[in-house]
Amino acid sequence: MASASTRENSGRVFNVVLIKPTHYDDQGYPIQWLRSAIPSNTLACMYGLAQDAARRQILGSDVELRLHTFDETNTRIRPKEIARMVREAGGDGMVCLVGVQSNQFPRAVDLARMFRAEGLQVGIGGFHVSGCLAMLPELPPEIREAQALGISIFAGESENHRFDGVLRDAFAHKLQPLYNYLDDLPGLEGEPLPILPRARVSRTMGKLSSLDFGRGCPYQCSFCTIINVQGRKSRFRNADDLERILRENQAQGVNRFFITDDNFARNAQWEQLFDRIIKLREEEGMFFGFTIQVDTLCHKIPNFIEKATRAGANRVFIGLENINPDNLIEAKKRQNKITEYRAMLQKWREHGAHTAAGYILGFPADTKESILRDIEIIKRELPLDILEFFFLTPLPGSEDHQRLLAKGVWMDPDLNKYDLNHRVTHHAKMSDAEWEDAYRSAWAAYYTDDHMKTVLRRSAVHGLRGIKSLRSKLLMFHIMIKYEGVHPLEGGALRLKFRKDRRPGMKLESPFVFYPRYAFKTLRNALGYWLTIRKFDRFMKEAVEAPDREAYTDRAVAPQSAEDFEDMALYHATTGGEAALARKKRDEAIRKGAAQKPADVIAPAAE
């Protein structure tokens, strides 16, 4: 537990308990780890806002606002113990379940029910409730049921002193059933900054924290909830905000961050932000490492990749989504141009950054055969390090969900499955079993021993600094899928399970069954981990010690030539690929023709 308070020895205490919930695995146990992989940015944002409210003494100068943060992915939540803590401090406070995604909503309500039974006030906010309110004509049953339990619902963002109002209402024991701020998205400049206490950060692998520089996205992807919750007009923090949060984190020994902006390349202030980080690194000797998310055209922005890597962006997540343009058009992701994929990935690689890409399985044109064909094309022709697979999922808050719901199409009623790792609807071409098998087969097809060797050899060409980090990331993905059965983004180190925390409605297992099985699986997985670690260490050693290390090349990393466009399967495996290549040739011919025209001929057109 991490906590903070406004002052010591105050007469009255109001406890604010901030909890980021996890969700259940297929056996009904919360997915928890001794160390989790991904920090929660919403928890960081809410902690920053609560700290600011405490400093301003919004409940009065005689009231101590005492803060507690929990991330359930790495901390067991014990409602009775938390309630006892609140009672011992005077009995006043509220529990905020924050950043709740659709797959986490059932767990959040189960926790809220236990807190309500202890007499505590409870609120739930996050993408599920915000997405439902943004896209559905009425509240869905699960939100109405939560309100019937006395749980307050918060939709929208909490900046601009909105959280102050919630805290004041809770202090007066007058929480409203619904706080809806979706129609009034706040600016971010000068707002309290996201930060997590070091004690909380230490529970993530690599002591990784998170922050956001901007929110919103201008694109229209039909599977996306961000555009409907955070808006399609981007809002940003400024360079002074950035410097303050970096210095505050540096002061507590935290310097590695996951930047949660959906698309940092569309941040209008990206250059000022990178320049400020570069100044701190090069003039003051401060070190920072970042993982950022960008689109597939970021390399077209002059100096973007150069300054990103110079600032410390050593890992990049790219929404590749698919290599079939017909699928991209179906999802309204028209900004992705497959003819730019290779050049973009090569440029990140040349500047020393590792690349990871999201890849969605289950678009209308997909079959198991086409999926596996496309993965082999990616392995052979694109210099990508990590590929993350997801089921095409109609998330509440997305256009896809809104459309299927309006048509009465079946969608799985269990929100716990809406984690992108489970099939929750049917496919037009594949049976349910075929689609699920295609998903499992995709992971197996990409993360083969031979391809892992190839990825490490590609990395070793550009020096040894980053190969250990890449090896660790590849290892993590391989282990989570093979041994833990969870998506790597939900993974961590040493799985924790607690017998009495099983999902309500599922039978509580006998301790004589639960504990021996848990111990056996933990030991079996530990052996599997050890063998896999040894194998990956051997792969890395081979890559580093290869006599032709610096001269290694293959189809994906070789300089791209005009001939490549004629014989690469990426452009010829689908009719959409052929059409994309034809458009590229046409556009290049037009540009070439324009460049050859005299200035006085093209000037009138420019006017």
Side-chain angles (χ1 to χ4, degrees), residues 196-367:
L196 287 170
R198 179 177 172 81
R200 179 57 51 206
V201 176
S202 67
R203 290 180 176 267
T204 61
M205 297 173 66
K207 295 181 174 58
L208 180 69
S209 191
S210 68
L211 55 94
D212 58 4
F213 293 154
R215 298 176 194 163
C217 180
Y219 296 123
Q220 303 179 58
C221 308
S222 65
F223 52 79
C224 181
T225 62
I226 288 173
I227 56 178
N228 302 313
V229 173
Q230 295 185 344
R232 291 184 56 204
K233 181 180 180 181
S234 298
R235 296 159 287 132
F236 312 113
R237 304 187 194 275
N238 60 34
D240 290 337
D241 294 334
L242 165 63
E243 182 172 342
R244 281 194 293 133
I245 192 59
L246 292 180
R247 289 189 182 278
E248 285 186 32
N249 275 283
Q250 185 88 351
Q252 63 173 355
V254 176
N255 56 17
R256 297 183 62 249
F257 304 92
F258 178 70
I259 308 302
T260 61
D261 298 37
D262 186 57
N263 187 352
F264 197 85
R266 300 306 133 189
N267 188 319
Q269 301 183 39
W270 67 265
E271 191 160 23
Q272 298 97 303
L273 296 171
F274 284 151
D275 283 345
R276 185 67 62 90
I277 302 171
I278 291 169
K279 181 179 179 181
L280 293 174
R281 285 170 61 97
E282 298 182 356
E283 295 185 9
E284 298 190 31
M286 300 173 72
F287 169 80
F288 304 105
F290 300 98
T291 298
I292 63 173
Q293 302 181 95
V294 297
D295 61 36
T296 59
L297 295 176
C298 59
H299 64 300
K300 295 285 190 178
I301 304 172
N303 293 321
F304 179 83
I305 291 179
E306 290 82 354
K307 288 198 172 185
T309 51
R310 191 175 160 197
N314 48 25
R315 290 180 181 169
V316 185
F317 179 86
I318 303 150
L320 204 71
E321 316 307 8
N322 212 264
I323 63 169
N324 185 341
D326 294 335
N327 284 337
L328 296 170
I329 291 171
E330 175 72 22
K332 296 186 177 179
K333 201 171 181 74
R334 295 178 176 85
Q335 69 271 22
N336 277 24
K337 311 295 183 186
I338 70 165
T339 50
E340 298 293 340
Y341 282 4
R342 189 176 176 203
M344 176 268 300
L345 291 167
Q346 285 182 330
K347 192 167 184 180
W348 280 114
R349 179 176 174 274
E350 289 165 4
H351 285 81
H354 298 148
T355 54
Y359 201 84
I360 297 176
L361 308 177
F363 285 115
D366 282 342
T367 63

Side-chain angles (χ1 to χ4, degrees), residues 382-605:
L382 294 180
L384 184 66
D385 296 319
I386 293 166
L387 201 54
E388 303 174 8
F389 298 104
F390 306 96
F391 277 101
L392 180 63
T393 302
L395 292 170
S398 68
E399 181 186 334
D400 285 351
H401 179 269
Q402 182 188 55
R403 184 178 68 252
L404 295 183
L405 189 67
K407 292 181 177 180
V409 174
W410 179 84
M411 292 181 283
D412 199 304
D414 184 3
L415 289 171
N416 189 69
K417 294 180 180 179
Y418 285 68
D419 57 358
L420 312 184
N421 195 33
H422 289 81
R423 177 194 57 78
V424 297
T425 189
H426 304 306
H427 191 269
K429 290 185 176 180
M430 293 182 280
S431 69
D432 295 347
E434 287 172 331
W435 193 3
E436 291 167 355
D437 183 53
Y439 178 79
R440 291 188 295 268
S441 298
W443 286 105
Y446 188 81
Y447 290 91
T448 63
D449 286 355
D450 284 344
H451 190 58
M452 294 303 94
K453 291 179 182 179
T454 297
V455 171
L456 290 170
R457 289 217 65 186
R458 291 171 181 169
S459 177
V461 170
H462 288 273
L464 309 181
R465 185 182 64 178
I467 195 169
K468 287 185 178 180
S469 174
L470 178 59
R471 164 261 187 201
S472 296
K473 198 70 174 176
L474 293 170
L475 184 64
M476 170 77 171
F477 272 65
H478 187 88
I479 283 174
M480 288 302 107
I481 290 297
K482 184 173 182 179
Y483 295 106
E484 298 291 355
V486 301
H487 196 284
L489 297 185
E490 292 186 322
L494 187 56
R495 177 68 195 277
L496 303 178
K497 287 187 179 183
F498 301 95
R499 185 177 70 91
K500 293 184 178 181
D501 290 354
R502 200 173 198 189
R503 188 177 188 182
M506 301 184 78
K507 183 180 178 182
L508 194 63
E509 294 185 292
S510 163
F512 300 105
V513 174
F514 174 84
Y515 291 109
R517 186 177 63 230
Y518 174 52
F520 173 75
K521 185 171 183 180
T522 300
L523 292 173
R524 184 191 64 184
N525 285 356
L527 176 61
Y529 286 10
W530 181 72
L531 292 173
T532 306
I533 290 169
R534 289 194 63 185
K535 180 170 67 175
F536 273 65
D537 283 347
R538 187 171 67 252
F539 294 167
M540 184 176 68
K541 186 173 186 291
E542 290 172 359
V544 168
E545 296 181 354
D548 62 340
R549 176 174 66 84
E550 295 183 1
Y552 174 81
T553 189
D554 60 34
R555 185 64 182 275
V557 299
Q560 187 163 270
S561 65
E563 290 74 20
D564 288 333
F565 288 101
E566 300 303 327
D567 61 2
M568 289 179 66
L570 178 66
Y571 310 121
H572 300 287
T574 64
T575 56
E578 294 275 8
L581 180 58
R583 284 192 297 272
K584 182 176 180 65
K585 289 179 177 179
R586 183 184 66 237
D587 292 344
E588 288 182 348
I590 292 172
R591 283 195 297 271
K592 185 177 180 180
Q596 293 175 345
K597 289 182 179 180
D600 59 346
V601 174
I602 62 174

